[in-house]
Amino acid sequence: MRGRRSGRTPLLAGDGPLARVPPVAAFFAVVAVFAVAVLVRGVLGAALLGLLAVAVGVLLASTWPALSGPARAGRVIILAALVAIAVSLLLTA
C-alpha cells in the first residue's frame, strides 16, 4: 500500500482554526446549513449554498495536490451539485 495516505493524517499541514474542529462537527455544520438553505429556498437559500460552494472550492483548491484522482472527481461533483442546486433555488424564487 505504498503511496496511499492514511485517512487520519491531515491533508494540509498547519495548526489553523480548522485544524482543531472535529470532522464530525464540520460535517454536521455543513449538513445543517444545506438543510436550512433548501428549506428556506429563494435568494437566501441560494446565497447559503453559494457560501458552501465557495468553501468547498477553497478546500478543493488547497488540498488538490494531496488528493487522489477519485477523491478529486468526487469533490468536483459535489461542488457542481452545490452550484446546480443554488441556481435551481434562484430560478424557482
Side-chain angles (χ1 to χ4, degrees), residues 50-64 75 79 82:
L51 287 175
L52 277 180
V54 167
V56 168
V58 167
L59 287 173
L60 179 61
S62 62
T63 59
W64 190 267
R75 292 179 189 191
L79 181 59
L82 276 174

Side-chain angles (χ1 to χ4, degrees), residues 6-93:
S6 167
R8 294 190 181 265
T9 58
L11 289 174
L12 293 174
D15 58 350
L18 289 180
R20 293 182 290 277
V21 176
V24 173
F27 173 78
F28 283 119
V30 168
V31 169
V33 170
F34 181 83
V36 167
V38 170
L39 290 174
V40 169
R41 298 180 112 45
V43 175
L44 180 60
L48 287 172
L49 287 181
L51 287 175
L52 277 180
V54 167
V56 168
V58 167
L59 287 173
L60 179 61
S62 62
T63 59
W64 190 267
L67 296 174
S68 66
R72 289 175 180 172
R75 292 179 189 191
V76 168
I77 290 169
I78 289 170
L79 181 59
L82 276 174
V83 170
I85 295 168
V87 168
S88 74
L89 287 180
L90 275 177
L91 294 177
T92 61

